[in-house]
Amino acid sequence: MSRPLPRSLDPLPGESLPGWLLREAYRLGLSPDRVAELCGLRGPRGDIPHVYLRDLPGPLTAAMSDAADLTIADVNDLTLQPFAHTFPTLTGSKGDLVRTGGSATSNWGVTVSSRYCPDCLRGDDRPVERAFGGAWQASWHLPMTFVCLRHHRLLEHLCPACERPVNGTVRAQTSLIKNSRLAGLHPAQCRNTLADGRDSGKSVCGARLDENPGKATSSLPAEDFQRLLTLQEKLTARLTSTAPPRAGDPMGISFFPDLISAAHLIKLTWPLGETYVPSRQLAQHVETHAAPVVAMAEARRAGLIGARLTGSRAVPSDAAECGALLLAADTLLGERDLVPLRDRIHALASEAFRISPSHADKILRGKDNSDTFVRASFQRLYGDVGRRRQRAAPPDPRFQAAEIPAYLPIAWYEYRIAPVIPDLPPLGRRVTRLLRRATSIRLAQLAMGGTWHTSAEFLEIPPSGALHTLRVLTRELGESRPRSVFEGAVAEIADELGRAANRVDYARRRRSLAHWRLPANDWRALCDGLPRMDDGPTSSDPRVGSIFLWSEVTQGEHLHSPTLREQRAAGDDTGMLALTAGRFYATDLRASRLRLLQRLRIYAGLLAEACDQQAGLCVSVDEVIALETSAQNHGVTDGPRTTLIETAPHLRWRSYKTPHCPRSPGG
């Protein structure tokens, strides 16, 4: 049995499926539609479905391979499938669209209307290209391709004669090739249907695109073109990379989704992003493309139109406009480090949410965007008092919320947060308490991917305290710079936590100690032999020890301890009890109270180990006193169980060390 296409053309390097069909049809004197039918590519509507440009179903790949005597690899290479692993937006395009365009162009996955290089279509001196022309490149259908690296020129997108996009979408168009039933046209001829009344002797334009000298490149100064050429080289290197991208890497699999979202952001908020365009000429190209979107946004703010910004995410057809917009987006993203990226993106993201919260949410919270980009574009990094349906940043997979203490340990605070306080606005005399609480909530929020309030609830921080902290931070750190400074310090702690081994499960400790209270006998034994430790009604109260030990082991605020919560729930005055427990957090303790503090810290270390090992919560006071007495006899005054406290109960995951035993969380 003879093949339907016994002597088909071998695909040219990088050739697209519609380009191959055009060349093969011209060689055989058939229509592209007939060649597609012989290859098994006719769709259910009798056309060449444009979704075949993205990839071909397995059975169709095999059918075309048999019909055209091509290898499976050759057939796959005619589609955009080779770019699927480096350009994830391509696979996100809907494959069941009835008409060309649609969301495929809205999400920048693929454009059916191809850009082109006249020099490439002209071909080289090889006989096959002299006879049938050069290849229509598959990469020309990707929005990321706007410069021909072979001929160092911008791609064209308009026919020089009819001045309309080549193979542009028309109403009810469903075929991959326009006028696909028409035979006899050279692969480089324009297939646009002429409007009524214009050259009535022809049904299609028929102009030779390979004879078009082109206008795109000449419209740019040499320096601007060089900028776009450099960007194209960078993008092409990523598109054609064979190295598997790493999940979660903002410079890997999320590179293009982030770039596209940044382009949408610049367009929606133009001219705020003009500073990221290196020249006025390139800015004018961005402005030309962004002008309709800006006009719709202004009309929407004036109440003249509805909430939808129709067509606002469409790909620029013009290569110069597309290149300039992508250049601005690439400059905005930079190296994609979280803190500087947040500084750059904050004003644009805030404006985007002001223009259209739903639209901004779509372009900034895409499922393929990197965690870094989503976190940097967060409208309110500490939560949002006014916006009920705020979407949280995705969870940080490197650590769990259970591993976050409810009140940032003082050693962590002094190492990372305290140094940036001079760069923050005045936060009042309780700045340390506020920032320690806020940092813990923010770390839990990063770990959980939840809201500020749900993260505080997980840490068992009362809603009133969480709301007060949120309001102060939102008010005082509302400007980009102060907010980024604080967030940068939090990010450094998160990075250290993510790299640390043997992290503490603070949630387990809170559960273990929820109903535990220091036995009265233990409290009396801890105070035994220490003069003047019974000089008040609360000093001799074991509840003081329960409060302090809970705070030490769980690294929580002593004011939020279960003991004080119970007293408040019973209607008792807790002021004096809280004040007495708080005295252990002073830095000028002397004599007996200092020795009792050392004993309590040793007790806390042993109790923390029991929680971590899920053993009985029973601590030997004799061992505690023996260790403290030994330390006293050897002149150790800054914590006789320094090694235990440094390595096990409190700061196990720290990647840095402090020379002394860390002070307790209330300090």
Side-chain angles (χ1 to χ4, degrees):
M1 180 178 178
S2 62
R3 294 179 182 275
L5 300 174
R7 294 190 305 277
S8 63
L9 292 170
D10 291 332
L12 297 173
E15 187 168 25
S16 68
L17 176 61
W20 183 87
L21 290 173
L22 289 172
R23 287 198 311 122
E24 186 69 13
Y26 185 66
R27 183 186 74 87
L28 297 175
L30 302 174
S31 69
D33 182 77
R34 177 56 179 160
V35 174
E37 182 181 20
L38 294 173
C39 292
L41 301 183
R42 286 285 294 273
R45 294 183 176 84
D47 55 8
I48 311 171
H50 63 84
V51 295
Y52 291 171
L53 175 63
R54 189 184 65 183
D55 58 17
L56 286 173
L60 294 189
T61 302
M64 182 172 176
S65 173
D66 291 340
D69 195 19
L70 300 175
T71 67
I72 296 294
D74 285 338
V75 175
N76 286 332
D77 287 347
L78 289 172
T79 70
L80 295 174
Q81 186 176 345
F83 301 103
H85 73 288
T86 57
F87 193 58
T89 311
L90 179 66
T91 57
S93 302
K94 292 183 179 179
D96 58 352
L97 300 178
V98 175
R99 295 170 53 188
T100 56
S103 67
T105 56
S106 292
N107 68 7
W108 288 48
V110 59
T111 57
V112 179
S113 176
S114 176
R115 296 177 183 138
Y116 68 95
C117 169
D119 297 324
C120 287
L121 293 183
R122 195 173 301 123
D124 55 26
D125 292 333
R126 288 181 294 175
V128 66
E129 295 199 25
R130 286 200 304 268
F132 309 119
W136 284 87
Q137 295 289 314
S139 63
W140 293 345
H141 289 277
L142 297 178
M144 297 297 154
T145 306
F146 47 87
V147 171
C148 176
L149 297 180
R150 179 182 177 188
H151 297 105
H152 281 204
R153 61 169 297 158
L154 285 173
L155 299 180
E156 304 288 337
H157 76 288
L158 298 176
C159 168
C162 66
E163 298 182 343
R164 285 184 290 169
V166 175
N167 206 46
T169 303
V170 296
R171 186 175 184 180
Q173 178 184 342
T174 59
S175 182
L176 179 60
I177 298 175
K178 188 177 292 186
N179 290 313
S180 60
R181 291 182 173 84
L182 186 62
L185 289 179
H186 187 276
Q189 281 185 279
C190 174
R191 288 179 168 265
N192 284 332
T193 302
L194 291 175
D196 292 340
R198 182 177 178 181
D199 198 355
S200 58
K202 295 183 179 180
S203 60
V204 295
C205 173
R208 289 289 291 257
L209 305 175
D210 54 346
E211 297 173 356
N212 172 24
K215 300 177 182 179
T217 304
S218 60
S219 66
L220 284 178
E223 185 177 7
D224 285 342
F225 174 73
Q226 185 59 45
R227 292 185 175 109
L228 297 188
L229 177 62
T230 301
L231 176 62
Q232 184 66 77
E233 291 171 343
K234 173 182 176 179
L235 299 183
T236 300
R238 289 192 170 276
L239 286 170
T240 58
S241 173
T242 57
R246 293 178 296 173
D249 180 4
M251 299 298 278
I253 192 65
S254 299
F255 178 87
F256 286 111
D258 285 357
L259 186 67
I260 294 168
S261 292
H264 289 324
L265 182 62
I266 287 175
K267 180 167 56 173
L268 179 63
T269 62
W270 188 261
L272 278 184
E274 188 172 358
T275 183
Y276 301 107
V277 187
S279 74
R280 182 54 197 161
Q281 289 85 349
L282 289 174
Q284 288 175 342
H285 283 290
V286 177
E287 187 169 344
T288 299
H289 177 67
V293 179
V294 173
M296 283 190 289
E298 290 177 351
R300 180 181 179 277
R301 286 196 294 266
L304 301 179
I305 60 175
R308 299 187 63 182
L309 299 172
T310 306
S312 59
R313 293 195 291 162
V315 178
S317 299
D318 182 82
E321 294 176 8
C322 187
L325 182 59
L326 289 174
L327 181 62
D330 187 61
T331 305
L332 171 64
L333 293 173
E335 294 301 318
R336 310 194 187 191
D337 294 326
L338 178 60
V339 175
L341 177 57
R342 184 182 296 116
D343 281 341
R344 294 190 297 271
I345 209 171
H346 168 69
L348 278 70
S350 296
E351 176 65 9
F353 278 108
R354 188 181 71 84
I355 293 172
S356 175
S358 61
H359 190 71
D361 196 68
K362 289 178 182 178
I363 65 178
L364 296 176
R365 308 288 188 266
K367 63 181 179 64
D368 294 323
N369 288 121
S370 67
D371 289 356
T372 300
F373 180 84
V374 174
R375 288 160 61 184
S377 62
F378 223 34
Q379 186 190 17
R380 292 291 185 189
L381 297 174
Y382 322 115
D384 194 325
V385 178
R387 189 164 172 243
R388 294 182 178 179
R389 298 186 62 187
Q390 180 189 33
R391 182 182 297 181
D396 191 324
R398 299 173 300 171
F399 56 91
Q400 303 296 317
E403 297 161 351
I404 307 300
Y407 193 46
L408 191 73
I410 191 66
W412 306 355
Y413 174 83
E414 291 177 344
Y415 188 76
R416 286 298 185 194
I417 304 298
V420 306
I421 289 180
D423 296 325
L424 302 178
L427 296 172
R429 63 185 180 90
R430 300 185 182 275
V431 58
T432 299
R433 183 179 301 278
L434 182 73
L435 291 180
R436 289 175 66 183
R437 183 191 300 161
T439 302
S440 286
I441 297 176
R442 179 60 180 146
L443 287 170
Q445 188 180 16
L446 293 178
M448 297 174 63
T451 66
W452 180 270
H453 299 288
T454 58
S455 301
E457 182 180 6
F458 179 84
L459 296 177
E460 300 180 13
I461 296 175
S464 58
L467 182 60
H468 170 71
T469 304
L470 169 61
R471 284 175 172 167
V472 172
L473 288 178
T474 302
R475 180 181 70 246
E476 301 297 338
L477 305 185
E479 296 299 324
S480 175
R481 178 60 186 167
R483 180 164 57 203
S484 296
V485 167
F486 174 66
E487 280 292 317
V490 175
E492 289 175 349
I493 295 176
D495 289 340
E496 291 175 1
L497 175 57
R499 292 193 302 268
N502 301 320
R503 295 186 288 267
V504 171
D505 189 337
Y506 286 102
R508 176 189 294 164
R509 291 186 180 184
R510 290 193 293 271
R511 291 193 300 270
S512 298
L513 297 183
H515 303 289
W516 178 89
R517 301 296 181 267
L518 177 66
N521 290 338
D522 284 6
W523 178 247
R524 286 192 293 268
L526 288 170
C527 296
D528 186 47
L530 302 178
R532 303 185 63 180
M533 288 311 301
D534 57 353
D535 56 351
T538 55
S539 295
S540 59
D541 192 337
R543 292 179 298 175
V544 173
S546 297
I547 294 169
F548 180 81
L549 289 171
W550 178 88
S551 180
E552 278 285 287
V553 174
T554 67
Q555 292 295 291
E557 272 182 274
H558 78 285
L559 297 175
H560 301 159
S561 65
T563 299
L564 288 176
R565 288 202 301 263
E566 283 182 359
Q567 298 302 119
R568 294 190 192 101
D572 297 339
D573 183 7
T574 60
M576 185 57 68
L577 187 61
L579 179 62
T580 304
R583 289 175 180 171
F584 287 106
Y585 308 138
T587 58
D588 57 350
L589 295 180
R590 296 292 185 269
S592 297
R593 192 170 292 277
L594 180 59
R595 291 194 63 185
L596 179 57
L597 172 63
Q598 306 305 328
R599 293 180 180 184
L600 287 171
R601 286 183 171 174
I602 296 173
Y603 195 109
L606 297 173
L607 185 61
E609 286 185 335
C611 291
D612 295 340
Q613 297 169 8
Q614 302 186 63
L617 302 180
C618 183
V619 175
S620 171
V621 180
D622 291 340
E623 180 186 359
V624 171
I625 294 176
L627 287 169
E628 186 270 333
T629 303
S630 175
Q632 284 291 117
N633 293 337
H634 289 84
V636 179
T637 60
D638 193 40
R641 290 285 288 192
T642 298
T643 301
L644 173 64
I645 292 180
E646 276 291 318
T647 59
H650 302 316
L651 307 180
R652 181 182 296 165
W653 60 260
R654 287 191 307 139
S655 60
Y656 54 88
K657 297 292 182 183
T658 53
H660 303 296
C661 173
R663 283 149 50 198
S664 59

